[in-house]
Amino acid sequence: MRYELMLPHQIRKAIAEHWPVVLPLGVLEYHGEHMAVGMDTLAVIKTLELFEKESDIVILPPFYYGAASYAVAPPEGSGSVQVGGNQLAPFGEALFYGLLRIGFRNIHAIIHHQTENFAAGMPTDLAFKTAGRQAIFRFLEEQRGEGWWGSQTMADYYAGHAAGENFFNWVQVHPLMPATMNGRYPFDHAGIGETSLMLALCPEAVDPTHFADNTGWYTAGAKDASASLGNKGVAMIMDHLREILKA
């Protein structure tokens, strides 16, 4: 369900049934002359819409204003919007803290931007990872008081942790395309891989008549993109979502 359309009784049901609450997270960035600047976020939104058809999920309004950087192209006339990680982290913490206050304990942000480096982290995902941790610490301290972890009530913490109980999993950040897709689907920027994803998920975001206008090396394979290749990537992404978004 779209969060902005939910009624209070539906929110209470989602809390009680531990539905995943998901933030589509991305950027507005130049993706060549042939593709929309919102590609990264659109890929998350469109796959979540497919996932929503098979499982109970809360989809938050998407956040497009991540750290795009100007590494690909300067912003003048290209459309990239850069908001640095130092600005993103306070927003993310406030958002996640607010969701915890509502009662959600199964919160996820999913990003498709610079995620080939997800293990090490890049500005947007690092900002939201930090924000999630900070929000959890703040919430627990306010609810339980200082020294909450050291209290006798937490004596079973490590046993519970070993069994998979971990309140730090209340907020998680994931890449849309996990590392297991490496070698099975093309990771690129505005090339055959991303263009194919958009042809499968959101064809109105691609205009093939502008392939010839591209000059960047990273767009060289875009002309060979196809919806059929994109659908193979979508199938892998859907398997990933089924694994991480469990009630």
Side-chain angles (χ1 to χ4, degrees), residues 110-190:
I110 298 179
I111 182 171
H112 181 67
H113 174 65
Q114 299 175 331
T115 50
E116 69 274 16
N117 295 296
F118 193 79
M122 294 295 268
T124 304
D125 57 84
L126 284 173
F128 278 84
K129 288 174 187 174
T130 299
R133 289 290 185 264
Q134 291 293 101
I136 292 168
F137 272 113
R138 175 184 166 194
F139 179 79
L140 288 171
E141 186 171 306
E142 290 187 4
Q143 294 293 312
R144 305 182 185 186
E146 293 180 351
W148 60 270
W149 189 87
S151 70
Q152 192 60 35
T153 59
M154 293 297 297
D156 62 349
Y157 170 77
Y158 286 111
H161 196 279
E165 300 170 6
N166 185 354
F167 37 70
F168 290 111
N169 287 337
W170 288 350
V171 180
Q172 301 180 58
V173 181
H174 313 273
L176 181 69
M177 294 172 59
T180 54
M181 287 181 63
N182 272 317
R184 301 170 59 210
Y185 189 84
F187 273 74
D188 61 29
H189 176 78

Side-chain angles (χ1 to χ4, degrees), residues 18-23 60 95-101 103-109 136 168-174 245:
H18 203 55
W19 290 14
V21 177
V22 188
L23 172 69
L60 295 168
L95 172 62
F96 292 143
Y97 176 79
L99 294 170
L100 291 169
R101 281 287 307 270
F104 295 120
R105 299 291 185 271
N106 191 7
I107 303 164
H108 305 261
I136 292 168
F168 290 111
N169 287 337
W170 288 350
V171 180
Q172 301 180 58
V173 181
H174 313 273
L245 300 180

Side-chain angles (χ1 to χ4, degrees), residues 11-26:
I11 292 171
R12 290 190 287 270
K13 176 181 172 67
I15 293 169
E17 297 182 1
H18 203 55
W19 290 14
V21 177
V22 188
L23 172 69
L25 178 60

